[in-house]
């Protein structure tokens, strides 16, 4: 009898369990959960596509403290938004993978020193930077700075061409408000990623009223460098950037920027260059001088439609004899020739032969920045004398 009762209880319990299981499988809630799982995958796909988009997209954040300055962050990609396969990988990673929202989430402390808004302009490796993107960025910066609701701008950028973009903006930004470019030498996934602190320091600089009037700045490794004089000197080290010939203009200590120098050359609001209505920039090529050189690349540049050539010569901008002949012939075809140097420091002096050949000299600008200035100069004139005056004062 007892055995029969036990068997009955067992069968009843088993039947109830089966009934509950069938009910759960067919219940609306279970179906809802199943349906809800699919959009999660879609959301991830959408987010990934978003990070690679080159369409300017603003991420609005409500201003919560009227006592804090308003800083706009414009994201363009680079190592600071890079992702690697492991947290020990600091080379061979993918740059421009992380969106502005994720960058800001990694440094929530910035919201304690400024009201933050973010714009994803592009998300690219800075080695892929183009004139079109530079023009788009410069116009966006000028548009935002014209608003009373923006006190300063931070631009996240890859370090490969950050100095070129900084100098580009230094020549066309029409405001004394601070504009700070920031990058990183290690991807966001690295154990000791330098991006978060660099970003925090950049916001601190852009938020400080002491930063006005210093031109466009570069913030890396606790240093504040001028757009004109800061350059990359190491391929992978965290302290890759320096302006050792003329000195940094300041540094960041304890979340506060300290300034000790000011750029002496014309910049930003004092610059005569205006890209408001510019849609295309003149083509300027850089040629690297060396022993046993030739005129082949000079002739190719001219044939390719170059309006200007920066020759990165040896020593004090010296040119191989055959290359010199090619440059002289190019100048006769109204191609502006600028003698620069492949040497890291020092100025290229202007000689009597430059006047004879109608060449321009780069002063202390490196070849990459000389290209930037020549593009803007060519928008104004093709006269070598006038263009030389630009190199003497910018």
């Amino acid at each position: 009898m007892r055995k029969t009762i036990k068997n009955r209880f067992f069968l009843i319990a088993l039947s109830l369990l089966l009934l509950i299981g069938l009910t759960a499988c067919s219940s609306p809630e279970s179906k809802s959960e199943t349906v809800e799982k699919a959009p999660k995958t879609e959301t991830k796909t959408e987010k990934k596509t978003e990070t690679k988009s080159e369409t300017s997209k603003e991420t609005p954040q409500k201003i919560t403290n009227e006592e804090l300055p308003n800083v706009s962050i414009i994201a363009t990609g680079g190592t600071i938004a890079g992702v690697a396969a492991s947290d020990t990988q600091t080379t061979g990673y993918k740059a421009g993978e992380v969106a502005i929202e994720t960058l800001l989430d990694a440094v929530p402390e910035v919201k304690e020193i400024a009201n933050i808004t973010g714009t994803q302009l592009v998300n690219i490796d800075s080695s892929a930077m183009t004139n079109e993107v530079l023009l788009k960025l410069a116009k966006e910066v000028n548009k935002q700075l014209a608003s009373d609701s923006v006190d300063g701008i931070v631009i996240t950028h890859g370090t490969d061409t950050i100095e070129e973009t900084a100098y580009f903006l230094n020549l066309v930004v029409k405001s004394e408000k601070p504009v700070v470019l920031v990058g990183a030498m290690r991807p966001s996934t690295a154990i000791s990623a330098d991006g978060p602190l660099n970003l925090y320091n950049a916001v601190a600089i852009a938020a400080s009223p002491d930063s006005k009037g210093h031109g466009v700045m570069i913030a890396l490794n606790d240093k504040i460098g001028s757009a004109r004089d800061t350059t990359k000197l190491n391929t992978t080290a965290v302290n890759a950037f320096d302006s050792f010939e003329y000195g940094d203009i300041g540094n960041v200590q304890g979340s506060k920027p300290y300034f000790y120098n000011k750029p002496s050359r014309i910049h930003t609001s004092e610059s005569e260059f205006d890209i408001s209505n510019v849609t295309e920039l003149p083509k300027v090529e850089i040629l690297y001088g060396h022993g046993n050189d030739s005129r082949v690349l000079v002739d190719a540049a001219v044939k390719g439609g170059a309006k200007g050539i920066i020759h990165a010569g040896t020593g004090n901008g010296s040119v191989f004899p055959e290359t010199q002949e090619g440059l002289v012939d190019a100048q006769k075809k109204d191609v502006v020739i600028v003698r620069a140097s492949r040497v890291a420091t020092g100025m290229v002096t202007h000689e009597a032969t430059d006047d004879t050949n109608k060449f321009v000299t780069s002063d202390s600008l490196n070849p990459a920045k000389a290209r930037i200035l020549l593009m803007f100069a060519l928008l104004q004139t093709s006269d070598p004398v006038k263009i030389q005056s630009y190199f003497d004062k910018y």
Side-chain angles (χ1 to χ4, degrees):
M1 182 72 176
R2 288 179 181 177
K3 189 174 181 181
T4 305
I5 293 171
K6 283 182 180 179
N7 287 338
R8 285 178 181 176
F9 274 123
F10 175 78
L11 289 172
I12 292 169
L14 182 62
S15 300
L16 286 171
L17 286 172
L18 287 172
L19 182 62
I20 291 169
L22 289 171
T23 305
C25 290
S26 59
S27 68
E29 288 181 6
S30 179
K31 287 180 180 179
S32 176
E33 286 175 7
T34 306
V35 173
E36 283 175 7
K37 287 179 182 178
K40 286 183 181 178
T41 305
E42 290 174 12
T43 304
K44 287 180 182 177
T45 305
E46 287 168 5
K47 188 175 182 181
K48 188 173 181 182
T49 306
E50 233 175 60
T51 62
K52 301 298 289 182
S53 173
E54 293 197 5
T55 304
S56 177
K57 183 178 179 181
E58 187 175 348
T59 304
Q61 293 192 6
K62 189 176 179 180
I63 295 175
T64 56
N65 191 339
E66 293 183 359
E67 294 180 359
L68 292 178
N70 303 322
V71 174
S72 171
I73 300 180
I74 302 175
T76 67
T79 298
I80 195 170
V83 174
S86 73
D87 56 9
T88 57
Q89 185 179 351
T90 57
T91 63
Y93 49 82
K94 286 186 177 181
E97 290 289 312
V98 178
I100 179 64
E101 298 93 337
T102 308
L103 286 178
L104 292 175
D105 287 343
V107 196
E109 294 83 359
V110 296
K111 297 172 185 176
E112 297 173 8
I113 58 175
N115 298 309
I116 303 295
T117 56
T119 304
Q120 188 78 52
L121 190 81
V122 292
N123 209 352
I124 60 174
D125 187 317
S126 73
S127 63
M129 186 60 66
T130 64
N131 288 348
E132 291 73 25
V133 175
L134 287 174
L135 286 169
K136 180 180 179 181
L137 175 60
K139 290 174 181 179
E140 178 66 22
V141 170
N142 278 330
K143 175 186 173 183
Q144 292 195 21
L145 290 177
S147 170
D148 291 336
S149 63
V150 175
D151 298 308
I153 288 180
V154 170
I155 300 166
T156 61
H157 198 289
T159 58
D160 280 357
T161 58
I162 193 171
E163 62 186 274
E164 294 175 51
T165 299
Y167 189 56
F168 187 101
L169 296 172
N170 201 53
L171 296 175
V172 296
V173 167
K174 299 302 179 185
S175 175
E176 291 190 352
K177 294 178 183 178
V179 175
V180 187
L181 275 80
V182 63
M185 293 302 297
R186 294 173 179 170
S188 63
T189 49
I191 290 175
S192 55
D194 53 329
L197 183 57
N198 284 345
L199 180 57
Y200 180 86
N201 285 346
V203 172
I205 297 166
S208 173
D210 296 337
S211 302
K212 291 182 179 179
H214 285 86
V216 175
M217 295 164 279
I218 297 175
L220 285 153
N221 203 35
D222 295 336
K223 297 178 179 179
I224 307 172
S226 71
R228 185 188 188 278
D229 300 323
T230 301
T231 191
K232 192 173 188 178
L233 299 171
N234 190 285
T235 55
T236 57
V238 173
N239 62 336
F241 285 81
D242 208 342
S243 47
F244 55 87
E245 189 166 27
Y246 304 110
D248 297 321
I249 60 175
N251 56 44
V252 180
Q253 292 291 334
S255 306
K256 178 178 171 59
Y258 294 86
F259 292 95
Y260 301 96
N261 300 306
K262 265 197 171 185
S264 61
R265 295 301 180 96
I266 297 174
H267 59 77
T268 54
S269 59
E270 296 180 356
S271 173
E272 61 196 275
F273 302 119
D274 186 356
I275 46 87
S276 300
N277 300 313
V278 175
T279 57
E280 187 178 4
L281 292 166
K283 187 175 184 178
V284 176
E285 300 288 3
I286 300 175
L287 304 182
Y288 193 87
H290 55 86
N292 199 45
D293 204 350
S294 72
R295 62 179 293 163
V296 172
L297 294 180
V298 178
D299 295 336
V302 175
K303 186 177 179 180
K307 301 301 179 185
I309 293 175
I310 308 293
H311 182 268
T314 53
N316 188 16
S318 302
V319 185
F320 188 77
E322 186 183 335
T323 310
Q324 175 85 358
E325 293 175 4
L327 293 173
V328 169
D329 289 344
Q331 195 284 322
K332 290 176 181 177
K333 295 178 181 179
D334 296 324
V335 177
V336 175
I337 309 298
V338 176
R339 279 197 315 113
S341 177
R342 68 185 199 183
V343 180
T345 61
M347 70 178 293
V348 176
T349 57
H350 196 82
E351 309 295 344
T353 53
D354 292 313
D355 293 329
T356 301
N357 296 323
K358 297 182 180 179
F359 286 0
V360 176
T361 50
S362 66
D363 193 87
S364 60
L365 285 177
N366 66 26
K369 292 179 184 177
R371 171 184 166 271
I372 299 294
L373 180 54
L374 182 55
M375 287 193 298
F376 288 130
L378 286 168
L379 290 175
Q380 311 293 321
T381 180
S382 59
D383 177 15
V385 176
K386 178 64 175 174
I387 292 176
Q388 183 63 64
S389 72
Y390 292 137
F391 277 88
D392 293 340
K393 62 185 179 181
Y394 282 94

